[in-house]
Amino acid sequence: MAAMPPSFSPSRTTCASLLRQLQIHGARNHGIAVRMIWDEIGESDSDRDNMLLQLEQECLDIYHRKVEETRKHKADLCKWLADAEAEVTNIVSSLGECTSFSRGKDTLTLKQQLAIVQPVLEDLRSKKDERIKEFSRIKSQISQICAEIAGCGQSQSASDREVNQCDLTVKKLEELKSHLQELQNEKILRQQKVKSHISIISELSAVMSIDYWKTLNEIHPSLADSSKDALQSISNDTLARLTGVIHSLKQEKQQRLKKVQELAKTLVELWDLMETPIDEKKAFSHVTRLISASVDEVSTQGCLSADVIEQVEVEVQRLNVLKASKMKDLVFKRQNELEEIYRGVHMDVDSEAARQILTSLIESGNIDLSDLLQSMDDQIRKAKEQALSRRDILDRVEKWKFAAEEEKWLDEYERDENRYSAVRGAHKNLKRAEKARILVSKIPSIVENLTAKVKAWEMEKGIPFVYEK
């Protein structure tokens, strides 16, 4: 790099003119004084000649030194101009500018050339410095984003920010800007991913009442920093950890939901078994409504917390204890229901024998009471189906029985000799007798139809139709 040009201006006085001046002025001004001094000293003519020769030699030495300094000054100017021209060429090349430059080497003096070169060089140096600053700023931002993506926080290598001063072209600058824009877009996408992952973790943590901030801090401390200026980590490792935690939380949510659903189903079964009042069921309505819910549908805060699961487990255990003590009562309640169904459709049932068998089974402890209740529920269902299938025949039996009773009444009525006397209610009996005669005339067809229905039923069921009076 060219330094500042030399400022030395050599004297134009030559040795001859100096001597001439010395002779003139010395003769006029100092000659007399020198001669007087020499006379007083008593210097000889030869000494005086030697002193003059010595003075002349000293003047020549000064002249030669000044000439040499002038030559060196010229050489320095030429070197400075050559270096400056080379630096201008290098800067123009590094900046990628297409400007031509000439300092008028063949037509101008060195100082004129200096006046041309110096401001151009200073301007180019200023442009170069500004371009280097711009390169440094962009490379610093690139280095910072790369460090954030790598998870280093900040670049630890100064070489990442070094600027190649041989290529400071606009094209290279645009390439760096384009690369920076790509990295900035990547950073924005990563920030959005981090924000989205954190939101999912927040929702999952809320559903299961898991410590949200502790979870984030374990992934990366910056994620749990709520200060405004805090930069959240966007590194590959942080994103991978966030994805892993989300996967783990989703699995945990699925497992908890499955457990809660199983407990809720057991709870409902126990409620049905023990005929629990609705008011008691309401305390666990937030659990039972999850029985048919999918994982994605469950979003209520705390509904899958460890406390909720523990409460349901305790309730199920409590009901299981009560179930054991009430099961015998429930079994005999089912037996009563079964007997009522049989009696309602006139089916024969040996209540005493059935109750003895149930008592023996319960006391033996060789049967699960839940299975026994299930078996009795099946019997009740079958009894209801059988009762329904007998209903048409039973209706016809009732009709036949009513006709038989009317026939018996009609016989008694016709044997009564006073049936036509004007007694109270005689006209009602007369009307009844008319209806009875019509009904009695239909008894053969009623019996025939009843018989046909019974036979058809027996053919279908493969068992005899038994009517218990």
Side-chain angles (χ1 to χ4, degrees):
M1 180 182 289
M4 290 300 296
S7 60
F8 171 75
S9 180
S11 173
R12 297 181 179 272
T13 305
T14 65
C15 184
S17 63
L18 177 62
L19 290 174
R20 193 179 301 115
Q21 291 295 327
L22 285 173
Q23 289 174 356
I24 294 172
H25 295 289
R28 292 178 182 177
N29 301 320
H30 305 291
I32 298 173
V34 170
R35 289 191 187 97
M36 289 177 65
I37 293 171
W38 283 347
D39 290 340
E40 291 177 359
I41 294 173
E43 295 286 350
S44 63
D45 291 338
S46 60
D47 290 335
R48 292 182 184 189
D49 291 339
N50 288 334
M51 291 179 68
L52 288 173
L53 287 172
Q54 185 178 0
L55 179 60
E56 183 180 359
Q57 185 62 44
E58 289 178 358
C59 289
L60 286 173
D61 290 342
I62 292 171
Y63 171 77
H64 289 150
R65 187 169 66 252
K66 292 298 182 181
V67 170
E68 190 62 32
E69 288 177 358
T70 303
R71 286 175 179 169
K72 185 177 182 302
H73 179 63
K74 177 185 175 182
D76 289 343
L77 280 176
C78 290
K79 183 178 184 306
W80 187 90
L81 286 170
D83 291 344
E85 188 174 21
E87 185 177 350
V88 167
T89 302
N90 289 335
I91 294 175
V92 169
S93 175
S94 66
L95 294 176
E97 297 186 357
C98 299
T99 58
S100 60
F101 170 76
S102 174
R103 59 186 171 101
K105 182 177 180 181
D106 299 328
T107 59
L108 301 176
T109 65
L110 295 179
K111 285 191 174 182
Q112 288 173 331
Q113 294 177 42
L114 178 64
I116 293 173
V117 172
Q118 192 167 358
V120 172
L121 181 59
E122 289 176 354
D123 181 61
L124 287 172
R125 282 174 176 173
S126 177
K127 286 183 178 180
K128 180 180 179 181
D129 290 341
E130 289 299 320
R131 188 69 59 82
I132 289 174
K133 288 179 181 178
E134 193 169 4
F135 268 84
S136 296
R137 178 180 60 80
I138 294 174
K139 293 203 74 174
S140 177
Q141 293 180 34
I142 290 174
S143 178
Q144 179 62 34
I145 295 177
C146 289
E148 290 178 19
I149 292 175
C152 303
Q154 59 181 1
S155 176
Q156 298 181 359
S157 174
S159 61
D160 294 338
R161 297 188 296 273
E162 287 181 358
V163 177
N164 179 12
Q165 298 189 20
C166 295
D167 189 358
L168 299 173
T169 61
V170 174
K171 179 181 178 182
K172 183 65 175 178
L173 183 62
E174 291 302 320
E175 289 177 358
L176 275 179
K177 286 182 178 179
S178 177
H179 182 44
L180 175 60
Q181 186 63 49
E182 291 175 359
L183 288 173
Q184 287 174 336
N185 292 338
E186 172 70 13
K187 180 177 179 179
I188 291 172
L189 288 175
R190 286 171 174 263
Q191 287 174 332
Q192 290 174 346
K193 276 187 179 180
V194 168
K195 184 177 179 181
S196 174
H197 288 345
I198 289 177
S199 176
I200 294 172
I201 291 174
S202 175
E203 293 173 0
L204 292 170
S205 299
V207 170
M208 295 183 284
S209 295
I210 294 174
D211 192 334
Y212 166 68
W213 295 109
K214 181 181 178 183
T215 302
L216 291 183
N217 190 64
E218 289 175 351
I219 297 172
H220 196 280
S222 67
L223 303 180
D225 192 344
S226 58
S227 58
K228 291 184 179 179
D229 298 331
L231 292 176
Q232 292 182 327
S233 174
I234 58 171
S235 68
N236 292 332
D237 180 65
T238 297
L239 286 172
R241 286 173 176 266
L242 284 168
T243 303
V245 168
I246 289 173
H247 179 69
S248 298
L249 288 176
K250 284 184 175 180
Q251 283 189 326
E252 177 68 17
K253 179 183 178 183
Q254 191 169 13
Q255 292 172 358
R256 289 193 182 193
L257 177 60
K258 183 179 179 182
K259 186 172 185 178
V260 167
Q261 288 175 334
E262 291 174 352
L263 288 170
K265 288 177 183 178
T266 304
L267 199 59
V268 171
E269 290 173 0
L270 289 169
W271 285 342
D272 294 341
L273 190 65
M274 305 183 67
E275 299 178 347
T276 303
I278 295 177
D279 291 341
E280 292 185 20
K281 296 179 182 179
K282 287 182 180 178
F284 291 91
S285 60
H286 61 289
V287 176
T288 54
R289 68 167 62 103
L290 299 177
I291 290 177
S292 59
S294 65
V295 175
D296 295 334
E297 292 173 341
V298 178
S299 59
T300 305
Q301 184 172 352
C303 65
L304 295 179
S305 67
D307 290 340
V308 168
I309 295 174
E310 184 180 359
Q311 289 172 4
V312 181
E313 287 176 335
V314 170
E315 180 64 12
V316 168
Q317 291 174 359
R318 185 185 71 84
L319 291 177
N320 278 325
V321 172
L322 288 177
K323 182 183 76 171
S325 62
K326 291 187 177 181
M327 195 62 74
K328 186 175 180 180
D329 294 337
L330 291 172
V331 168
F332 284 108
K333 188 175 182 180
R334 295 289 194 279
Q335 179 62 27
N336 289 335
E337 184 179 353
L338 184 62
E339 292 174 3
E340 287 297 324
I341 295 172
Y342 283 148
R343 279 193 286 267
V345 292
H346 299 277
M347 293 175 64
D348 185 25
V349 57
D350 190 347
S351 299
E352 187 64 29
R355 292 176 182 275
Q356 287 180 359
I357 293 172
L358 290 175
T359 302
S360 299
L361 287 173
I362 294 171
E363 291 178 352
S364 68
N366 295 328
I367 188 170
D368 188 338
L369 295 183
S370 297
D371 293 340
L372 180 57
L373 280 175
Q374 184 62 46
S375 174
M376 297 193 71
D377 286 337
D378 292 339
Q379 292 180 48
I380 290 172
R381 178 180 55 79
K382 291 177 181 179
K384 287 180 178 180
E385 291 175 356
Q386 192 172 9
L388 185 62
S389 69
R390 292 166 59 92
R391 181 55 55 192
D392 185 38
I393 295 176
L394 293 176
D395 289 343
R396 293 177 184 274
V397 169
E398 291 300 320
K399 188 175 182 180
W400 170 75
K401 288 173 65 176
F402 178 71
E405 289 176 358
E406 287 300 292
E407 182 182 26
K408 181 180 178 181
W409 177 85
L410 184 60
D411 289 342
E412 293 177 354
Y413 174 75
E414 290 179 346
R415 287 196 298 269
D416 186 2
E417 296 177 354
N418 299 320
R419 62 183 179 276
Y420 297 115
S421 59
V423 295
R424 186 177 182 180
H427 65 286
K428 290 183 179 181
N429 289 335
L430 185 61
K431 288 184 178 180
R432 179 180 176 183
E434 291 175 0
K435 291 180 180 180
R437 291 187 186 96
I438 296 172
L439 184 59
V440 168
S441 66
K442 294 180 180 180
I443 287 178
S445 63
I446 292 174
V447 172
E448 184 179 354
N449 289 336
L450 177 59
T451 304
K453 285 287 183 180
V454 171
K455 288 182 178 180
W457 187 91
E458 291 177 340
M459 286 288 291
E460 179 185 355
K461 303 297 181 182
I463 58 175
F465 185 89
V466 179
Y467 184 86
E468 176 67 27
K469 294 183 180 180

